[in-house]
Structures are given as structure tokens and as C-alpha cells.
Amino acid sequence: CHKPCEKVFVTVFVSRHMSGMLFNVDSNCSPELLYCLAQMGHGDELVIADRNFPATSTALQTCFQRVIPMSGFSALAAIKTITSLLPLDGFVEHAVVRMEIDGSPDEMNETHIAVFSFLEKVIPKGAGLGHIPRTTFYERARQAYAVVQTSEDIPYGCYILRKGVIF
């Protein structure tokens, strides 16, 4: 991980000098999000959090140490934007996990169905999609590289994406 002062300098530099000036990059990607995705390595994990998730306190424990906001985005919209740039890991059982609904681990709500339907089309061959209990999700999120907070309204609309490699 970089020191916080190094990240602030680079984020400010990127914000002032690169915003909107790159080919084939979704204009919804903030300079801070682009910097984070570029710094992540194979196996690093990115939390996509709904609006109820304790994003700030969790982010303070991650490598990136601050929340990356994607205000106005549903979880699906954020994941579509992020996976247009971030390869998912094909060397693990689950390239993405979702937060389970308390008391109903196999039940999928509207956001789970929409996100997993999209991800089934873009995950690497052999990789899967999984789910973990809410409390386990919180523990794993604290070990992630960074936290992206969306405006997702549907409870339990949280995911962890594992970065893959580009061949």
C-alpha cells in the first residue's frame, strides 16, 4: 500500500490532468476510481457497497483507506462500469461474492438477480459466483483493497469483486 500522502498527490494530479481525456474509458469512472483500479493487483478485492453499508469505517481499514463514491449508481450500474476495465479472477472458485440475506442465504433479491445475470456473461470461464453471510462479508470487506459506495437502495446489495489478470 502507498502512504496516504502519496495517494492524495496522485489523485489530485489525475483529477486535474486526465479527467475526460482518455479513449475507451467510461466517462462515469472518476479519476479516483481509475487510480484505484490501476493500483490493484491480481487477487486484490474491491467491495461494491449499497447505501446502508458501513463504507467509511470499513474503508479506513482497507489499503486505499477512503471510500470511492459512485453516487447515483445502482450496484448493477457500478459493476458494469467497473468490469468494463477490471478483469475478474478466473483462478478462484468465486470471482464475485454477494452478501447473503440474513436468515435466507440462498434467496436472491432483485439486485442479486440483476447483478449475477450480468456477471454470468462476463466472468472468466470456470469462475463462479458465490455468496457469504453478512457478518463474514463485513470481515472480508475490511481486508479488501478498497470500498466503492453506490446509491443502491435494495438491502444486502453488496458485492466483492476479485481482480484477475490480463493475458
Side-chain angles (χ1 to χ4, degrees), residues 45-50 53 75 79 94-117 119-120 128-138 140-141 155-162:
E45 294 186 327
L46 183 67
V47 176
I48 309 301
D50 65 19
F53 186 80
I79 288 171
H94 299 120
V96 178
V97 294
R98 66 171 172 83
M99 180 188 287
E100 292 176 357
I101 296 171
D102 287 336
S104 301
D106 294 323
E107 181 183 334
M108 291 178 61
N109 64 26
E110 182 182 332
T111 184
H112 295 152
I113 293 167
V115 167
F116 275 25
S117 292
L119 288 170
E120 286 171 353
L129 304 171
H131 53 89
I132 56 177
R134 181 177 53 83
T135 55
T136 304
F137 188 98
Y138 288 156
R140 187 164 165 184
Y156 307 99
C158 300
Y159 306 85
I160 298 175
L161 286 62
R162 186 175 172 96

Side-chain angles (χ1 to χ4, degrees), residues 60-73:
L60 287 171
Q61 298 176 61
T62 67
C63 186
F64 206 67
Q65 298 183 326
R66 63 188 179 282
V67 175
I68 301 168
M70 288 190 79
S71 302
F73 283 76

Side-chain angles (χ1 to χ4, degrees), residues 19-89:
S19 182
M21 300 299 290
L22 300 172
F23 288 121
N24 302 319
V25 174
D26 189 319
S27 62
N28 291 314
C29 285
S30 68
E32 187 170 40
L33 178 60
L34 288 172
Y35 177 71
C36 174
L37 297 177
Q39 293 302 304
M40 290 175 67
H42 177 230
D44 283 337
E45 294 186 327
L46 183 67
V47 176
I48 309 301
D50 65 19
R51 66 176 46 209
N52 294 307
F53 186 80
T56 301
S57 60
T58 302
L60 287 171
Q61 298 176 61
T62 67
C63 186
F64 206 67
Q65 298 183 326
R66 63 188 179 282
V67 175
I68 301 168
M70 288 190 79
S71 302
F73 283 76
S74 67
L76 176 61
I79 288 171
K80 282 183 175 182
T81 298
I82 290 165
T83 58
S84 73
L85 299 168
L86 180 84
L88 295 173
D89 197 344

